[in-house]
Amino acid sequence: MSESFDSLVAQVIDLRHRLHRHPELSNRESGTRDLLESLLGAIDGVELQRLGKTSLLASVTGTGIKNAATKNAAKNTAENTGTGRTLLCRAELDALPIQEETGLPWTSENPGVMHACGHDAHMAALYAAILWYAAHRDFTGEIRFLFQEAEETEGGAVDLIDSPLFDGVDEAYAFHSINAPAGRLLIPPKRATNGVAVFRITVHGKSTHGSMPHLGIDPIRILADIIGQLAALPSNAIDPSHAASLTFGTLKAGDAANQIPDAAQATGTIRAQSHDDLQRLCEPAKTLTVTIAQAHGAHADFEYGAVDPVVNDESITRRLLAELSATLGPDAVQESGPANFSDDFGFFSDRFPGAYLLLGAGDKAQGMPYPNHSARYFVLDEAIEPAVRAWIALIGARLAA
Amino acid sequence: MSESFDSLVAQVIDLRHRLHRHPELSNRESGTRDLLESLLGAIDGVELQRLGKTSLLASVTGTGIKNAATKNAAKNTAENTGTGRTLLCRAELDALPIQEETGLPWTSENPGVMHACGHDAHMAALYAAILWYAAHRDFTGEIRFLFQEAEETEGGAVDLIDSPLFDGVDEAYAFHSINAPAGRLLIPPKRATNGVAVFRITVHGKSTHGSMPHLGIDPIRILADIIGQLAALPSNAIDPSHAASLTFGTLKAGDAANQIPDAAQATGTIRAQSHDDLQRLCEPAKTLTVTIAQAHGAHADFEYGAVDPVVNDESITRRLLAELSATLGPDAVQESGPANFSDDFGFFSDRFPGAYLLLGAGDKAQGMPYPNHSARYFVLDEAIEPAVRAWIALIGARLAA
């Protein structure tokens, strides 16, 4: 690409350092949003709209001059009355409650908050793609670039997914950084992440002194009963050939050994490889919790937020594998299995076909042995240019397809 | 009694207010000990010895002049080579981690610490008895007055009971305040308190991410299994006609829903009406805990501190009921059932015959509806004089018996 591409890359590496310096926690990313909004507000051909709490949508519509001939109206949804495909491309705004230990010159200036999941790099690469396509609008269709709030916590995609701003979207795409050679694209042709539900069980009993158990209802004993039953669910409710787990992370009840408390709480996670499997665990877990508590004369809540696995559209993804390999070079792209984390992009992949691509942040040989969410994890600068090229190529391929 | 008795009572009511103003937590009662030590150090006929961490023993030996004739050497133990019976009379030094809400003019000056179990009144009444008998040493025998550390927590009596300072003791006595008309003595002829064991279970598993349970050992699921088994012990290990309970008070494990923690902890209490019943619950609880954890490939600790029930010597106690009723008046004394709390005086009643008497702190009609350990509980001043009279009469009766 041109000299202007090189200057674009230099510019977004600077932006990425700036974003990394000023991380913000989920649902509080207004400073990040404001920065992107002010930068993009100065760019011709970019339309901006706020959505959710702090999210930002930047749209670029093609002029339809160059590749109008490749338009395939039959592929558009009924709502999409444009002249080509409408793509949704997403990056995440939020950082994590982690004290950074990278020792980078552009380390976090916000104590206890850190971009430890690569969202700074994701935003910078997406920003570059916006600038590129705003300057190269000789395509048919529309690209909606989403900077999404609160991917790391509950909220985020689930609160945004029904926005009318996504009406007419045909396909949805996202990149996520992962330990692998910097800039390499790892493309899972089917499932790309785990589905996960984070749950909280609260058993409401009735407090009484330990010497008078008959005057109360012990929520701890009831919670223990529930835990025993729930722990056996994956082994019994799910096809044994499917990966599934239900595990506990925390327990909390009471203040004193001699006082039966009012309530007892447990949290944990349920993981499964499909929406159906996730529901086949969450629903019986809820029923067992509520029913066991009732049987003891207590009541209990089973609250959960489920994120479906991100499932890539296999035909789109296999085509992308071939096309990106041709454009970026065979060493830059490889087929892979799913990541072992989850991502609320699952809400988008449930609604729109598309793909979720894993982007190498750097690997052990490059000095990046630390996994996502480590206080030492970051995306190497060397990964930024390949990520920008990948977005430009992916969007180009899907607009032309 | 005389004018000097009235001045004694006025003096110890002042002392009691002073003690109430300066409460100290268990094992940190050195200020209280120092105060008593300096006051008693000025009294002729009182010998002082420190013991344990902060405990104080004040001994008064009779001159044997008046009632040498009533001496019954056959009742003395082999170790007691004195000329009469040796009595141990105990009060407690420690206060509780409670922010006082009584609104008293002599309220606690130590934020978050309060004499909410009447120990200030117990000490003052015992102090008065020391002064009385130091001034009236015309008896045969010895009285050892113990100001005991750390009754409210582990330690206390269990750490002191083997002290050589108790060699030669024939009988042991204590008073404890309780909601009842101020100054009334409630005397349980057999069992006076519950036996209790405070336990802590710690299951040591192996932490792993929730997506990889096979790489760790979940201590939460194992703890749940243990809780279920332990909860059924009282119903199965104990004579159904005996009161017994095993209840849980706290749960604690982990920091994050998605991370299986290294360890999980529960605390609770076991209560029983005899030493044997208490052991019949504690030992199987420990065995079940350790064995269930082993069966899961983990290990677990079951730590407990047991306090036996205080069991009064029935023949001594029935005789005291009659004698105190005659001395103090029939309205001042009544037979009662056991208190529903426990007291580490059980270590003394296991070793020495004697009695544990409940002292009315005040009742609802007198404006004291609050139970022991309430932030509004205190012993009414009106209870002090009867308590002093009761100690003097009890000691006199047992020295003369």
Side-chain angles (χ1 to χ4, degrees):
Chain A
M1 294 180 186
S2 63
E3 193 179 55
S4 75
F5 178 80
D6 293 341
S7 102
L8 174 65
V9 168
Q11 182 184 341
V12 300
I13 287 178
D14 280 351
L15 172 62
R16 180 277 173 104
H17 293 173
R18 190 167 167 188
L19 292 167
H20 193 92
R21 273 199 171 99
H22 303 287
E24 294 178 304
L25 292 175
S26 307
N27 288 317
R28 301 183 210 166
E29 313 94 331
S30 53
T32 307
R33 188 264 324 271
D34 291 349
L35 171 63
L36 293 167
E37 195 176 46
S38 77
L39 292 172
L40 291 168
I43 309 294
D44 275 348
V46 178
E47 281 178 51
L48 295 176
Q49 283 173 288
R50 292 183 176 190
L51 68 163
K53 293 193 186 74
T54 63
S55 296
L56 183 68
L57 193 73
S59 302
V60 176
T61 303
T63 55
I65 292 167
K66 182 177 164 194
N67 57 358
T70 66
K71 173 199 158 197
N72 185 345
K75 284 191 180 170
N76 295 339
T77 64
E79 295 89 347
N80 179 11
T81 56
T83 54
R85 196 172 273 139
T86 295
L87 307 180
L88 178 65
C89 302
R90 175 270 221 170
E92 318 90 322
L93 290 162
D94 55 338
L96 287 157
I98 293 172
Q99 179 61 44
E100 181 158 351
E101 297 174 13
T102 60
L104 287 168
W106 31 280
T107 200
S108 167
E109 295 176 9
N110 189 355
V113 183
M114 175 192 176
H115 272 300
C117 202
H119 297 185
D120 52 333
H122 306 169
M123 285 188 276
L126 199 71
Y127 175 84
I130 301 172
L131 263 54
W132 180 265
Y133 279 101
H136 299 83
R137 288 196 284 147
D138 52 346
F139 61 87
T140 303
E142 186 183 343
I143 323 166
R144 299 187 195 164
F145 298 93
L146 172 64
F147 295 96
Q148 181 205 305
E149 67 205 37
E151 186 275 324
E152 297 288 0
T153 59
E154 292 172 30
V158 66
D159 288 348
L160 299 177
I161 189 67
D162 293 325
S163 165
L165 295 181
F166 302 132
D167 288 350
V169 166
D170 295 300
E171 298 175 4
Y173 296 92
F175 286 7
H176 204 291
S177 61
I178 193 171
N179 278 114
R184 184 174 296 174
L185 284 181
L186 283 70
I187 306 186
K190 298 180 183 174
R191 182 169 65 89
T193 67
N194 275 323
V196 66
V198 177
F199 65 82
R200 180 172 53 211
I201 297 169
T202 309
V203 180
H204 304 277
K206 186 180 165 198
S207 183
T208 178
H209 192 259
S211 61
M212 295 172 282
H214 58 298
L215 300 183
I217 300 171
D218 177 4
I220 292 179
R221 190 169 59 86
I222 299 169
L223 180 61
D225 203 352
I226 291 167
I227 288 171
Q229 289 303 312
L230 265 54
L233 268 180
S235 318
N236 292 278
I238 300 296
D239 180 336
S241 71
H242 296 188
S245 66
L246 187 159
T247 61
F248 297 93
T250 70
L251 289 177
K252 188 166 160 25
D255 297 312
N258 62 357
Q259 188 75 17
I260 293 173
D262 264 324
Q265 211 167 63
T267 66
T269 52
I270 295 174
R271 288 158 207 276
Q273 62 186 44
S274 71
H275 170 88
D276 286 353
D277 279 1
L278 202 54
Q279 290 310 307
R280 246 177 238 125
L281 291 169
C282 290
E283 284 306 315
K286 182 170 187 165
T287 304
L288 280 165
T289 298
V290 169
T291 312
I292 290 170
Q294 278 174 347
H296 285 286
H299 76 275
D301 303 317
F302 184 91
E303 301 162 279
Y304 68 98
V307 173
D308 283 341
V310 174
V311 180
N312 286 344
D313 180 288
E314 190 172 0
S315 85
I316 290 176
T317 309
R318 292 213 174 275
R319 189 161 170 181
L320 274 178
L321 258 167
E323 291 176 342
L324 294 178
S325 186
T327 314
L328 304 171
D331 289 349
V333 178
Q334 70 181 67
E335 183 174 333
S336 82
N340 69 359
F341 49 71
S342 71
D343 188 313
D344 68 3
F345 190 74
F347 286 98
F348 292 102
S349 80
D350 277 354
R351 183 167 169 195
F352 307 115
Y356 182 89
L357 283 66
L358 305 172
L359 171 74
D363 64 7
K364 202 171 173 180
Q366 295 172 308
M368 182 42 61
Y370 313 109
N372 300 55
H373 290 213
S374 157
R376 300 186 178 189
Y377 178 82
F378 63 97
V379 177
L380 298 182
D381 275 351
E382 295 89 310
I384 303 295
E385 179 180 330
V388 174
R389 287 186 191 277
W391 265 126
I392 293 172
L394 181 150
I395 292 168
R398 293 313 300 161
L399 288 172
Chain B
M1 294 182 186
S2 63
E3 193 179 55
S4 75
F5 178 79
D6 293 342
S7 102
L8 175 65
V9 168
Q11 183 185 340
V12 300
I13 287 178
D14 279 351
L15 172 62
R16 180 276 173 104
H17 293 173
R18 191 167 166 190
L19 292 167
H20 193 92
R21 272 199 171 100
H22 303 287
E24 294 177 303
L25 291 176
S26 308
N27 289 316
R28 301 182 210 167
E29 314 95 330
S30 54
T32 307
R33 188 264 324 272
D34 291 348
L35 171 63
L36 293 167
E37 195 175 46
S38 77
L39 292 172
L40 291 168
I43 309 294
D44 275 348
V46 178
E47 281 178 52
L48 295 176
Q49 283 172 288
R50 292 184 177 190
L51 69 163
K53 292 195 187 73
T54 63
S55 295
L56 183 68
L57 192 73
S59 302
V60 176
T61 303
T63 56
I65 292 168
K66 183 177 164 195
N67 56 359
T70 66
K71 174 199 157 199
N72 185 344
K75 284 191 179 170
N76 294 339
T77 64
E79 295 89 348
N80 180 11
T81 56
T83 54
R85 196 173 272 139
T86 296
L87 307 181
L88 178 65
C89 302
R90 176 269 222 169
E92 318 90 321
L93 290 161
D94 55 337
L96 287 157
I98 293 172
Q99 178 61 44
E100 181 158 351
E101 297 173 13
T102 60
L104 287 168
W106 31 280
T107 201
S108 167
E109 295 176 9
N110 189 355
V113 183
M114 175 192 176
H115 272 299
C117 202
H119 297 184
D120 52 333
H122 306 169
M123 285 188 275
L126 199 71
Y127 175 84
I130 300 172
L131 263 54
W132 181 265
Y133 279 101
H136 299 82
R137 288 196 284 147
D138 52 345
F139 61 87
T140 302
E142 185 183 343
I143 323 167
R144 300 187 195 163
F145 298 92
L146 172 64
F147 295 96
Q148 181 205 305
E149 66 205 37
E151 186 275 324
E152 297 288 0
T153 58
E154 292 172 30
V158 67
D159 288 348
L160 299 177
I161 188 67
D162 292 325
S163 166
L165 295 180
F166 302 132
D167 289 350
V169 166
D170 295 300
E171 298 175 3
Y173 296 92
F175 286 6
H176 204 292
S177 62
I178 193 170
N179 279 114
R184 183 174 296 173
L185 284 180
L186 284 70
I187 305 186
K190 298 180 184 175
R191 182 168 65 89
T193 67
N194 275 322
V196 66
V198 178
F199 65 83
R200 180 172 53 211
I201 297 168
T202 310
V203 180
H204 303 277
K206 186 180 165 199
S207 183
T208 178
H209 192 258
S211 62
M212 295 172 283
H214 58 299
L215 300 183
I217 300 171
D218 178 3
I220 292 179
R221 189 169 60 86
I222 298 169
L223 180 61
D225 203 351
I226 291 167
I227 288 171
Q229 289 303 312
L230 265 53
L233 268 180
S235 318
N236 291 278
I238 300 296
D239 180 336
S241 71
H242 296 188
S245 66
L246 187 159
T247 61
F248 298 93
T250 70
L251 288 177
K252 188 165 160 26
D255 297 312
N258 63 357
Q259 189 75 15
I260 293 173
D262 264 323
Q265 210 167 64
T267 66
T269 52
I270 295 174
R271 288 157 207 275
Q273 63 186 44
S274 71
H275 170 87
D276 286 353
D277 278 1
L278 202 54
Q279 290 310 307
R280 245 177 239 126
L281 291 169
C282 290
E283 285 305 315
K286 183 170 187 165
T287 305
L288 279 166
T289 297
V290 169
T291 312
I292 290 170
Q294 279 174 347
H296 285 286
H299 77 275
D301 303 317
F302 184 91
E303 301 161 280
Y304 68 99
V307 173
D308 282 341
V310 174
V311 180
N312 287 344
D313 180 289
E314 191 172 1
S315 86
I316 290 176
T317 309
R318 291 213 175 276
R319 190 162 170 182
L320 274 178
L321 258 167
E323 291 176 343
L324 294 178
S325 186
T327 314
L328 304 171
D331 289 351
V333 178
Q334 70 181 68
E335 183 174 333
S336 82
N340 69 359
F341 48 71
S342 71
D343 189 313
D344 68 4
F345 191 74
F347 286 98
F348 292 102
S349 80
D350 277 354
R351 183 167 170 196
F352 307 114
Y356 183 89
L357 283 66
L358 305 173
L359 170 74
D363 64 7
K364 202 170 173 179
Q366 294 172 308
M368 182 42 60
Y370 312 109
N372 300 56
H373 291 213
S374 157
R376 300 187 178 187
Y377 177 81
F378 64 97
V379 178
L380 298 182
D381 275 350
E382 295 89 310
I384 303 295
E385 179 180 330
V388 174
R389 286 186 191 277
W391 264 126
I392 293 172
L394 181 150
I395 292 168
R398 294 312 300 162
L399 288 172

